[in-house]
Amino acid sequence: MEEIPLRGGDAKGSHLEANHGSTSSNFGSFSIEGAQQSRIQSRRCQVDPLLAWTLLGVLAGAVTGIVMNQAKAPEALVLLAGFPGKLFLNTLKMLVLPLLSFSIMSGVGSLSKNKKNARKVSRLTVGYYILTTVVAVLIGVTVVNVIRPGHSSPSSSIGSNSCHQDTDIANHSQHNQTALESLLDIVEEAFPSNIVSAAGNLNVLGIVTFSIFFGVVASSLGEDGQPIMQAVEKMNKVIMKMVEIVLWLTPLGVGSLIAASIAAACDMGEMLQSIAMYIVTVIFGLALQGGVVLPLLYFVTKRENPLVLAKAFSRAFVTAFGTDSSSATLPVTIQCAKDLGYDESIINFVLPLGATVNMNGTALYEALTVIFIAQRHNVVLGAGQTLIVCITATVAAVGASAIPSAGLVTMLMVLQAVNLSQFSTDIALVLTVDWLLDRIRTVVNVEGDAVAVSLVQHICST
């Protein structure tokens, strides 16, 4: 079996190269030179200055937001506080689609050179994403039925004094769809009729489908396709360099976003009293998925302390919490994986795909919230309806765009699947705390991607 030594190459550390001279990587047994491995271990032990500044930005943003919230700062001041964060998030989103597309094309192109290993990576990746998402949904359904937070949150909690308007939610709920129609819509999104329109509308599933198809076909052309794939790889490097530059603005951007989110929140005391148990239930469920299930899966597979992975991807987790978007965090996640010396073809396939379809936290959140809403109105869901919630929440999470609060829109689909659309205005209650819960579940989503790329890398290199 061909060995692939790890060698130093660029400023960021390590690339993998096959002995026969090709710049692409195969998945054989990895021979890591002692000096290079020591360098990687040394880098792990060092304090990442960008991470330290980002944590400081999170703290400063939280303190600023609380002060502004309690002082009832004027709307103009809140808007001004969040403006740098908005520019930062928009810049990351500007780079997400080209990064997503070129990364997948490059990853698929590299994998296609070894069809046996390509099939292995694909099966491992898809199997992992399905398994962890199903487990997340089951955790959400279990904790909400055990804790029953809906019984401590009366349906009268949503009143005329709510700072969130129900108009948009009501407009969404007017267009009721059957569960089958909703599922077919998600499948249809994966096959857009116009790729330019799909990019303009942030149809991430459509971009992923096109990118995978393009990478497979371009690789199958042999020598004729090599110039195309080389151009794709160079474009991918250019986009990654642009991302590295933008990421140095993370401390300011993340701090600004958090400050504005907290400052614009409703009366925090009243909000916490009305749905305190719901918040506890969601955080407990996410803690089980992110603090028990994923670390246990990592430990059982690699026999390594999960804290090693947590430390390596800590900057990605902080960015996920700050930006509230797994897509915006994708560049950071990719860079963390590269710093660990992982195979770039695995990184470029697993992580962009994960940022699109691997929504552990969102799936758990949607299933839990729908049952919470049913409990608030004393609606008992039978075994069959609970199964429908599980299935629909899983598919809806995959169909949700990897952008902030997209789960609230797809949650309407789950409500409609179990004939609870008449209670869709209850989502306004969820909106009062979504600024916090959405950030936590985004961290769980990104953690799932980090575990995925680590496990696939480990399995394919042994």
Side-chain angles (χ1 to χ4, degrees), residues 9-322:
D10 58 2
K12 298 306 295 182
S14 40
H15 284 195
L16 296 168
E17 183 176 6
N19 283 342
H20 55 69
S22 171
T23 57
S24 64
S25 305
N26 294 324
F27 307 114
S29 58
F30 285 76
S31 174
I32 303 179
E33 297 178 0
Q36 192 73 13
Q37 187 175 19
S38 299
R39 195 177 305 130
I40 293 174
Q41 293 294 338
S42 175
R43 186 164 55 232
R44 289 182 186 176
C45 297
Q46 293 175 355
V47 177
D48 187 342
L50 184 55
L51 173 61
W53 280 106
T54 302
L55 289 173
L56 185 61
V58 169
L59 179 61
V63 172
T64 303
I66 291 173
V67 171
M68 293 177 66
N69 183 279
Q70 296 301 310
K72 300 189 183 303
E75 185 177 348
L77 185 58
V78 175
L79 185 65
L80 187 61
F83 190 68
K86 186 176 181 180
L87 293 181
F88 170 72
L89 191 57
N90 286 348
T91 305
L92 281 179
K93 288 182 178 179
M94 174 183 69
L95 298 173
V96 162
L97 280 181
L99 176 65
L100 183 76
S101 184
F102 287 124
S103 293
I104 291 180
M105 288 178 188
S106 178
V108 170
S110 297
L111 291 174
S112 297
K113 295 175 182 178
N114 190 323
K115 294 183 178 180
K116 181 180 178 180
N117 288 323
R119 287 194 294 268
K120 183 178 181 180
V121 171
S122 301
R123 286 197 301 267
L124 286 171
T125 303
V126 174
Y128 167 87
Y129 289 153
I130 292 175
L131 173 64
T132 54
T133 302
V134 170
V135 171
V137 169
L138 293 177
I139 288 175
V141 170
T142 301
V143 296
V144 74
N145 280 301
V146 171
I147 300 177
R148 304 181 71 79
H151 293 290
S152 60
S153 176
S155 57
S156 59
S157 296
I158 301 177
S160 57
N161 294 329
S162 175
C163 62
H164 289 283
Q165 300 297 323
D166 300 347
T167 306
D168 292 338
I169 299 170
N171 289 339
H172 278 295
S173 62
Q174 288 175 357
H175 306 287
N176 288 346
Q177 290 181 306
T178 65
L180 178 61
E181 289 173 335
S182 299
L183 297 179
L184 291 178
D185 281 347
I186 292 176
V187 175
E188 187 176 357
E189 283 186 6
F191 299 90
S193 59
N194 188 321
I195 191 62
V196 177
S197 176
N201 295 327
L202 285 178
N203 178 1
V204 182
L205 285 179
I207 298 298
V208 168
T209 301
F210 174 83
S211 301
I212 292 176
F213 191 26
F214 184 95
V216 170
V217 173
S219 299
S220 68
L221 295 178
E223 293 184 0
D224 291 338
Q226 283 186 3
I228 298 176
M229 295 309 301
Q230 289 174 355
V232 166
E233 291 173 3
K234 290 178 180 178
M235 285 298 298
N236 192 35
K237 290 181 179 179
V238 171
I239 297 297
M240 278 303 303
K241 189 61 180 179
M242 294 172 67
V243 166
E244 288 179 22
I245 296 172
V246 173
L247 289 181
W248 282 104
L249 300 175
T250 301
L252 174 64
V254 167
S256 171
L257 289 169
I258 291 178
S261 295
I262 296 177
C266 305
D267 186 300
M268 299 179 71
E270 181 181 350
M271 169 196 71
L272 292 174
Q273 289 177 5
S274 64
I275 53 173
M277 286 307 297
Y278 167 73
I279 298 172
V280 170
T281 305
V282 173
I283 293 178
F284 179 66
L286 292 173
L288 285 178
Q289 178 72 10
V292 178
V293 173
L294 294 178
L296 184 61
L297 185 60
Y298 177 86
F299 175 76
V300 169
T301 306
K302 291 193 67 174
R303 299 295 179 182
E304 184 178 85
N305 190 338
L307 292 178
V308 174
L309 183 75
K311 182 178 180 181
F313 284 89
S314 56
R315 186 152 54 92
F317 299 155
V318 173
T319 304
F321 185 85

Side-chain angles (χ1 to χ4, degrees), residues 136 286 289 358-366 441-442 444-445:
L286 292 173
Q289 178 72 10
N358 183 39
M359 300 293 169
N360 292 177
T362 302
L364 183 154
Y365 172 79
E366 291 191 356
R441 67 178 184 260
T442 302
V444 175
N445 291 341

